[in-house]
Amino acid sequence: MSQFADVILPLPLHKYYTYRIPAELKENLSTGSRVIVPFGRKKYYTAIVIFTHNHAPADYETKEIISLLDNEPILRRPQLKFWEWIAGYYFCSVGDVYKAALPSGLKLESETLVSPNPDYEENPDNRLIERESILLDTLSKYPKISVQDLEKESGLRNILPVIRTLLDKEALFITEQIKRKYRPKTETYIKLAFGPEEQEKLRPIFEQLAPAKKQLKLLMAYLELSSFMQRGQFKEVPRNTLLERADVSSSVLSGLIDKGILISYKREISRLDTSGRSAEPAHALNTVQQKALDQIFHSFKDKEVTLLHGVTSSGKTEIYIHLIQEVIQKGRQVLYLVPEIALTTQLTTRLQRVFGDSLAIYHSKFTDNERVEIWNNLLKDKGIRVILGVRSSIFLPFRDLGLVIVDEEHENTYKQQDPAPRYHARNAAIVLASMHGAKTLLGSATPALESYYNAQQGKYGFVELTSRFEDIQLPRILVANTQELRRKKQMTGNISPLLLDEANQALKRGEQVILFQNRRGFAPVIECKLCAWVPKCKYCDVTLTYHKRYHQLTCHYCGYTCEVPRQCPACGHTEIDIRGFGTERIEEDIAQYFPDYQIARMDLDTTRTRKAYEQLIEDFEQHKTQILVGTQMITKGLDFDNVSVVGILSADTMMNFPDFRAHERAFQLMAQVAGRAGRKKRQGTVILQTAQPEHPLIQQVINHDYAGMFHTQLKERQQFSYPPFFRLIYIYLKHRDETILNSVACSYATRLRQVFAHRILGPDLPPVARIQSLYIRKIVLKVENNASMAKVRELLYQAQDDMLKDERFKSVTVYYDVDPM
Ligand code: ADP
Ligand code: ZN
Ligand code: ZN
């Protein structure tokens, strides 16, 4: 049996640490088990065993594992492999991945608590030494105390070994006292105190209870519910159900329990909603959809990944449903990834109808307990076949994935920004699938340039759906030239006469309108009319956004909020003007034109809770509201059947964004929001407001010309060495002191140029160059797509190590963003 275990700690460490396995744990401990270990001088952590062996590490003295938390591993072996891949590819530690992967209910708090054992008596053969006595005396004053505090209170130093020996003597507890965040949900059940084989005992009980009418009533209710009358069984019955049926108070029940006739006990029940939903057959596919499905199967024969490029409302979701059915029939599992915002009741109801209880939904806004239960259900293979989930569901303990679907695969929210691991869920899911020997289907009406390129190159299979379900036409797109309209004084506000007219007609016909503005708030900035002073955040390098409702200025990075100044702090002028326009402003403007209609706004500010978000959707679905104003939140996969007019208020703000993906994204957003028009009944109309109607991108949007946009953008990407031809790695450096940061960033860039030459750009100021008082510099590394990432990683880490010779470098935070979005 192995002597040592290598463990993953929930810390950004770049190696595994080895611990000794105490004899009593050797039997049960295995790869994937959670253990409590000491680390550093003062702390305990929940670590995960990755490997057991017999080689003592050469360079440090091992410590002993303190306890084992599970009798069975909570991870499957392939998961650990997947964690290692993520850490390797995204330049972070496996500890970072561990922190992101496990629901917090499975991670015990690192602030370990210690408490005295009240039943402890000193054993005369094994007396306490002085340090132990002091510690126990201190401990007796506290029911629970953290190791750090105990050290302080006792005045002792290095108390870990003392705690350890006291643990051996059973004078104190630790693991039991660590707060377990996950608590199973229990329900109280009632049962007869004897089995059906002893049913002759019932007769004397009836006689005994004759004077106690209520108790008799309760007993009869129990017998009825437990199906004794029909089948002669004494099944357990939930306490609440029983009391309700008998219509007596709980004291009557206690009476029967005291007499030893009934027994009461708690049993663990599931939080997952398994209210016995029965599955219904899926809709039959039409011929176009069926053909696409056949093509997907065909493509799966020799491609790992297939891209389904289907226009909005072509019925991609229906195709997914059929595909999933095929896979789960073979007993394999399916992961269906959607962007957080697209995980709506609209979608879950559609899937639950077909998959019933074999479907589980994994959402970051769910409670931790629910997430732990999904985890355990998968781990113990208790019936979930399909996971419909957000980004982090790639970390669930799948046994045998047969298929991964990534819907809206172009969505940039699949990329985790902060903290590490900064992974892209689509790309990671492809790797996960291949580890399971599963296929991946990427779906989108507006694929990411990278994915479409891979399909063109034959790396991915490719299937297209060019018509909408029931052949509804894609919307016609009309342009309102805002520059000309403003010059001719035909447009003073933010809404063009054309848009007003179309909206008006639609509303009169009883149809609905969506207005899209990719900015929340009332107006992004206020400005002094005289000196052009603009308010900025105290802690970040960003302009504050004006929120009319509270008449306040807010930082969208750190949440800093302040009042609008009465006077310009720079010149004292009192006229401070509003520049630009956000959703709140549009909502207010449109209300003036259409006072008789109900208007709703959907953006981050109005959808802080899941419920608020679903409510907005529901109200619009039920036509309680007629006009919906929103940010890009309204572009995501919503399926409304009565929207005939969509207004895109400013194409220009999207196109002018300083990023190499700006045009691709602007196209995606506009095509997606346009796709909300005329989904069910007939062709819809989109009014696109722009100051540059001749721009090729605008023409591509008007003509629904994805391929045209792809080719234009691809040429630029090639010319300027961007993805998909080059891989980007952003290297970020952060520090409180700008001077130190500047000089360190410069020498780091110089050092990197020695290795990577012209592939290094910068250091530069990122768009927001200071966040929460930390200054930020960015160095860009562009590597050829076919370069070995392992080699790149090695060279980068080497350079970083070299830099550590510079004292100042040690205080700088460095992190990497691979394939940034
Ligand atoms: P997409 O995912 O491509 O946007 P959906 O799958 O949401 O498209 O389909 C659009 C609408 O058409 C949905 O309301 C869906 O219920 C309906 N629909 C699509 N295919 C079928 C089908 N085969 N049978 C019945 N309804 C369908
Ligand atoms: Zn001023
Ligand atoms: Zn801020």
Side-chain angles (χ1 to χ4, degrees):
M1 244 175 277
S2 303
Q3 305 287 321
F4 298 101
D6 287 0
V7 306
I8 305 174
L9 284 152
L11 298 167
L13 304 165
H14 283 279
K15 59 177 196 165
Y16 298 130
Y17 276 78
T18 307
Y19 286 84
R20 254 175 299 129
I21 310 176
E24 70 274 17
L25 298 184
K26 279 187 182 148
E27 194 118 339
N28 292 326
L29 185 144
S30 63
T31 299
S33 304
R34 289 180 305 162
V35 291
I36 298 281
V37 296
F39 187 80
R41 226 167 48 78
K42 291 185 177 171
K43 287 204 168 170
Y44 291 114
Y45 291 96
T46 308
I48 294 183
V49 176
I50 189 151
F51 182 58
T52 57
H53 56 87
N54 283 314
H55 315 285
D59 49 347
Y60 59 94
E61 176 114 18
T62 51
K63 293 177 185 169
E64 199 161 69
I65 288 174
I66 290 179
S67 73
L68 175 68
L69 290 172
D70 315 283
N71 286 327
E72 283 163 50
I74 58 135
L75 287 181
R76 292 172 182 275
R77 237 170 242 277
Q79 272 179 286
L80 292 170
K81 228 176 90 195
F82 182 54
W83 289 14
E84 285 179 334
W85 179 83
I86 298 226
Y89 187 85
Y90 292 104
F91 290 27
C92 63
S93 71
V94 178
D96 287 326
V97 185
Y98 161 29
K99 280 201 284 186
L102 243 54
S104 45
L106 291 175
K107 290 175 285 195
L108 301 177
E109 294 197 329
S110 64
E111 301 276 273
T112 303
L113 298 177
V114 185
S115 66
N117 176 2
D119 299 332
Y120 172 73
E121 276 172 31
E122 197 171 336
N123 177 350
D125 301 328
N126 192 359
R127 292 239 165 246
L128 294 176
I129 59 168
E130 191 190 353
R131 279 161 67 80
E132 290 173 339
S133 296
I134 298 174
L135 205 82
L136 271 193
D137 280 347
T138 316
L139 197 55
S140 65
K141 292 184 216 135
Y142 305 91
K144 266 182 204 168
I145 185 169
S146 71
V147 174
Q148 284 97 317
D149 290 345
L150 184 57
E151 194 158 80
K152 247 185 265 153
E153 296 296 321
S154 64
L156 297 174
R157 306 188 90 209
N158 196 12
I159 62 170
L160 275 179
V162 190
I163 291 181
R164 176 72 248 205
T165 56
L166 284 171
L167 255 177
D168 290 342
K169 293 178 179 167
E170 291 179 17
L172 53 75
F173 300 119
I174 67 161
T175 58
E176 292 85 346
Q177 299 301 333
I178 294 175
K179 193 167 136 235
R180 262 198 129 99
K181 282 193 187 154
Y182 169 69
R183 290 206 186 281
K185 187 171 171 180
T186 56
E187 189 164 82
T188 308
Y189 283 86
I190 305 296
K191 224 174 138 171
L192 210 56
F194 46 88
E197 66 288 350
E198 294 181 280
Q199 51 170 290
E200 72 280 2
K201 282 193 184 167
L202 275 175
R203 178 180 291 268
I205 290 175
F206 285 140
E207 284 163 12
Q208 178 197 349
L209 291 184
K213 289 269 174 309
K214 284 189 173 167
Q215 292 189 351
L216 192 60
K217 192 175 168 199
L218 184 74
L219 182 62
M220 292 312 287
Y222 167 79
L223 292 174
E224 195 184 315
L225 286 168
S226 73
S227 61
F228 172 71
M229 309 299 187
Q230 297 89 23
R231 295 189 208 97
Q233 286 176 343
F234 294 156
K235 281 202 322 210
E236 61 180 14
V237 171
R239 181 175 182 272
N240 291 340
T241 317
L242 177 61
L243 288 175
E244 224 167 83
R245 173 66 70 94
D247 194 22
V248 295
S249 72
S250 57
S251 62
V252 181
L253 177 61
S254 313
L256 280 178
I257 294 170
D258 291 345
K259 286 181 180 158
I261 298 169
L262 293 180
I263 51 173
S264 148
Y265 53 92
K266 283 189 193 304
R267 198 159 60 78
E268 247 183 69
I269 57 162
S270 170
R271 280 187 180 81
L272 307 179
D273 175 15
T274 51
S275 43
R277 274 183 305 254
S278 59
E280 288 172 43
H283 294 298
L285 296 181
N286 64 23
T287 44
V288 183
Q289 292 169 333
Q290 186 59 49
K291 193 171 147 228
L293 182 65
D294 293 342
Q295 286 173 340
I296 293 169
F297 279 124
H298 186 75
S299 155
F300 277 173
K301 285 200 181 114
D302 53 27
K303 299 281 198 261
E304 294 291 302
V305 183
T306 295
L307 173 64
L308 172 62
H309 179 205
V311 296
T312 50
S313 209
S314 52
K316 293 185 289 297
T317 314
E318 293 301 326
I319 294 179
Y320 301 154
I321 291 174
H322 283 256
L323 203 55
I324 294 170
Q325 279 185 323
E326 294 273 341
V327 176
I328 60 177
Q329 260 162 30
K330 296 193 184 109
R332 304 186 76 186
Q333 298 166 317
V334 177
L335 169 61
Y336 182 160
L337 283 176
V338 287
E340 180 124 351
I341 199 75
L343 190 44
T344 58
T345 357
Q346 276 192 347
L347 181 63
T348 55
T349 337
R350 239 170 119 180
L351 293 175
Q352 274 166 344
R353 199 182 66 84
V354 182
F355 298 109
D357 291 342
S358 58
L359 174 82
I361 296 150
Y362 197 74
H363 195 288
S364 65
K365 296 220 171 102
F366 284 175
T367 67
D368 208 62
N369 285 329
E370 284 173 290
R371 292 199 275 163
V372 171
E373 284 185 20
I374 291 178
W375 185 284
N376 288 335
N377 186 307
L378 282 172
L379 194 68
K380 296 183 185 137
D381 220 346
K382 284 204 196 140
I384 295 177
R385 288 282 169 275
V386 188
I387 292 284
L388 173 66
V390 298
R391 190 167 72 200
S392 58
S393 49
I394 59 170
F395 294 116
L396 286 168
F398 297 103
R399 167 185 48 87
D400 179 19
L401 265 182
L403 171 71
V404 174
I405 294 170
V406 186
D407 194 27
E408 310 282 357
E409 64 87 32
H410 63 280
E411 265 297 314
N412 51 356
T413 53
Y414 277 126
K415 178 79 195 298
Q416 164 141 328
Q417 302 293 355
D418 269 314
R422 297 176 177 82
Y423 64 99
H424 195 300
R426 174 196 62 214
N427 300 350
I430 291 173
V431 173
L432 178 73
S434 76
M435 284 179 174
H436 280 267
K439 301 293 175 183
T440 306
L441 181 69
L442 309 179
S444 175
T446 52
L449 223 64
E450 287 88 340
S451 303
Y452 200 80
Y453 178 76
N454 281 333
Q456 291 244 311
Q457 296 290 303
K459 189 172 162 197
Y460 294 171
F462 185 62
V463 177
E464 237 178 342
L465 276 172
T466 50
S467 58
R468 287 185 148 186
F469 180 62
E470 293 188 330
D471 278 334
I472 304 278
Q473 295 262 296
L474 283 168
R476 69 191 167 120
I477 302 183
L478 310 175
V479 167
N481 182 343
T482 50
Q483 197 178 27
E484 191 179 279
L485 288 168
R486 283 191 209 284
R487 202 187 51 214
K488 294 185 179 160
K489 306 251 186 289
Q490 285 165 351
M491 176 174 165
T492 44
N494 297 308
I495 303 166
S496 62
L498 179 62
L499 177 51
L500 282 177
D501 185 42
E502 290 285 342
N504 188 26
Q505 287 181 34
L507 292 168
K508 280 200 175 131
R509 287 194 301 263
E511 294 161 357
Q512 290 165 296
V513 173
I514 285 181
L515 299 179
F516 167 59
Q517 171 61 11
N518 205 22
R519 247 177 188 166
R520 63 191 163 116
F522 187 76
V525 274
I526 59 165
E527 189 182 73
C528 169
K529 265 196 161 173
L530 197 66
C531 76
W533 169 86
V534 170
K536 292 215 158 180
C537 176
K538 263 184 165 170
Y539 310 104
C540 315
D541 251 0
V542 288
T543 312
L544 295 174
T545 300
Y546 177 59
H547 285 254
K548 177 154 196 234
R549 180 163 306 169
Y550 309 106
H551 194 60
Q552 274 176 343
L553 298 166
T554 303
C555 169
H556 283 180
Y557 277 85
C558 74
Y560 168 78
T561 298
C562 64
E563 298 301 315
V564 176
R566 286 166 190 279
Q567 277 192 323
C568 168
C571 74
H573 192 68
T574 48
E575 266 181 276
I576 294 179
D577 207 17
I578 292 156
R579 196 174 77 186
F581 57 109
T583 40
E584 207 177 333
R585 174 71 175 269
I586 303 296
E587 183 190 17
E588 200 177 283
D589 287 359
I590 200 79
Q592 289 179 351
Y593 293 110
F594 301 113
D596 301 336
Y597 296 98
Q598 292 300 315
I599 302 166
R601 172 162 61 92
M602 188 190 277
D603 56 27
L604 267 184
D605 296 321
T606 61
T607 55
R608 296 264 174 231
T609 65
R610 190 87 206 141
K611 207 161 159 250
Y613 177 61
E614 296 280 3
Q615 191 64 50
L616 281 169
I617 295 176
E618 198 185 305
D619 288 349
F620 197 62
E621 255 178 340
Q622 296 175 353
H623 307 182
K624 284 184 192 156
T625 47
Q626 290 83 41
I627 303 173
L628 183 62
V629 180
T631 54
Q632 52 170 313
M633 287 182 112
I634 56 172
T635 66
K636 309 287 149 67
L638 293 174
D639 186 18
F640 299 119
D641 54 13
N642 189 41
V643 175
S644 63
V645 170
V646 165
I648 297 172
L649 288 145
S650 167
D652 307 322
T653 44
M654 289 182 273
M655 288 163 62
N656 299 341
F657 194 75
D659 182 85
F660 71 93
R661 284 197 179 89
H663 284 187
E664 178 192 354
R665 271 192 201 141
F667 182 93
Q668 286 163 340
L669 282 171
M670 289 193 267
Q672 294 281 353
V673 73
R676 304 307 119 207
R679 282 169 78 85
K680 283 272 165 68
K681 292 181 187 145
R682 54 195 177 82
Q683 194 185 18
T685 303
V686 176
I687 312 298
L688 199 170
Q689 301 190 160
T690 175
Q692 18 182 359
E694 300 307 323
H695 196 289
L697 189 79
I698 298 292
Q699 293 304 314
Q700 285 153 357
V701 173
I702 294 173
N703 298 320
H704 304 286
D705 184 13
Y706 176 86
M709 182 281 293
F710 172 77
H711 289 295
T712 317
Q713 294 307 310
L714 199 70
K715 246 185 257 156
E716 288 194 11
R717 300 283 183 91
Q718 188 154 31
Q719 193 180 345
F720 299 105
S721 307
Y722 277 116
F725 304 97
F726 280 74
R727 203 186 278 288
L728 295 182
I729 299 169
Y730 290 168
I731 302 155
Y732 287 99
L733 299 112
K734 282 189 183 177
H735 201 276
R736 244 161 234 292
D737 183 318
E738 195 169 18
T739 326
I740 294 183
L741 181 66
N742 269 337
S743 93
V744 167
C746 282
S747 45
Y748 196 22
T750 311
R751 176 72 189 81
L752 288 169
R753 276 199 183 88
Q754 291 166 2
V755 187
F756 296 103
H758 60 279
R759 295 177 191 83
I760 293 289
L761 306 176
D764 280 327
L765 274 66
V768 179
R770 188 172 62 121
I771 296 179
Q772 294 184 349
S773 301
L774 287 176
Y775 292 90
I776 310 165
R777 291 296 177 270
K778 181 171 110 184
I779 299 173
V780 176
L781 170 58
K782 285 182 178 177
V783 284
E784 288 78 352
N785 218 0
N786 53 10
S788 149
M789 279 298 270
K791 187 78 195 158
V792 171
R793 185 168 54 242
E794 193 190 311
L795 293 171
L796 269 175
Y797 280 146
Q798 217 167 40
Q800 194 181 337
D801 276 352
D802 282 357
M803 290 299 294
L804 287 173
K805 286 181 203 130
D806 181 341
E807 268 307 312
R808 295 168 314 159
F809 193 78
K810 288 187 186 144
S811 59
V812 176
T813 309
V814 181
Y815 64 89
Y816 301 88
D817 191 0
V818 178
D819 301 339
M821 290 296 286

